[in-house]
Amino acid sequence: MTHEFDTRFFDLLHARSANLAPGDTVVDPLVMTSVFALPDEPDPSRVYARMATPTVEAAEARLSALEAAPSLLFPSGMGAYAALFTALLRPGDRLILLTDGYYTPRSLATEVLAPMGIETTCIPSGEIADAPLDGVKLVMIETPTNPGLDVIDIAALAARCHAAGALLAVDNTVLTPLLQQPLDLGADVVLSADTKAMSGHSDLLLGHVASRDEELMKKIHTIRTLSGNIAGPFEAWMLIRGLETLEVRLARMCDNARAALPLLKDSGKCGDVLYPEAHDQARDPGFLVGITLPTKEATDRFIAVAGLAPVTSFGGLHSAADRRGRWGDDVDAGFLRLSFGVEPTKPLLAALKKGLAAV
Ligand SMILES: *Cc1c(COP(=O)(O)O)cnc(C)c1O
């Protein structure tokens, strides 16, 4: 399989600068507006900001370069989920989600889709490869899963979905399109919470959907416009700024995660150390690591002494830890999801060592 990651990231960086006229700003302008001049024969793409704005389109051009597919931006990852589900699912349709994926889509299915007559089955990632797919409209997975970091073979599942007449959607938040390209592996649609590593600075909520299926993207665009589920220009502009450093940020984050693995494993404090198995569908297993400390109190000491950001998010500049048991994930009380940041490696490892000594 040939990965086009580097070429696509190059295209992302050059999406604007390749087409500049003399005197243009090299950086995308931030265009804050809700309205456009509408003379007698208005430009249909410049009607009202609920349809599109120049800065949202500029961010989508960058995302499209990276996904090698048309992309639509949403004000959050869950905004993207809501648009995808409402574009694709109708009463009587069946949806498959993972029991061990990000939990909010399951709540959306229970609290919003079920009363609308859309039936959801939740299946553990370890069983999805053999799950019965008859009569299923959409299979929505994440890989690696979050927080268990299990890997699902996307190409094999896409083939099974298509044989059964189902569509496969992949939430690619954990690895980003720079490390894994589900559309190239046969997925019909890819979704990302750009709140995480894509924007990368822990200061935005955003999400996007990408697909090479033109009809599907048209439906999603209509839903986005009719439901007013579009990102603001400022957030879109901040995303562009974050995306331009995605490659260097991810390189350091993944290197830091790998550098910490021996320290975590050899400490004798961490129980199983979870890190995704290397798989040729991904360029890199990523920057998330799962560890299990003996008790909840041990996690509190570790986080405080190591100086990790105690947040329930990942993919930011600062190495962070989240005790997933507090969110009801099916894990031990001492389970932590570690998200490695861009700190210089040596002092980061020294801080982790101090933290482990305090466990
Ligand atoms: C955070 C996250 C989401 C939801 O994104 P928001 O921007 O918080 O709405 C969806 N999927 C995964 C895997 C996530 O980590």
Side-chain angles (χ1 to χ4, degrees), residues 209-274:
V209 171
S211 174
R212 294 170 190 156
D213 179 336
E214 215 175 294
E215 281 304 303
L216 173 61
M217 290 305 278
K218 236 191 240 165
K219 276 192 209 164
I220 295 173
H221 189 260
T222 301
I223 293 278
R224 185 179 79 172
T225 300
L226 295 179
S227 57
N229 188 7
I230 189 171
F234 182 63
E235 282 74 12
W237 188 82
M238 293 279 279
L239 175 63
I240 295 171
R241 187 178 162 94
L243 283 174
E244 293 198 324
T245 56
L246 177 64
E247 199 214 3
V248 288
R249 284 187 286 108
L250 280 177
R252 173 66 68 81
M253 289 157 69
C254 295
D255 283 352
N256 277 347
R258 255 186 301 281
L261 287 176
L263 174 68
L264 296 168
K265 285 180 180 159
D266 297 345
S267 69
K269 304 271 177 82
C270 294
D272 285 343
V273 176
L274 304 183

Side-chain angles (χ1 to χ4, degrees), residues 28 31 96 116 158 166 178 186 190 215 271 296 317 343:
D28 276 291
V31 182
I96 288 184
M116 291 174 12
L178 194 59
V190 65
E215 281 304 303
K296 175 194 169 301
L317 300 175
E343 298 91 345

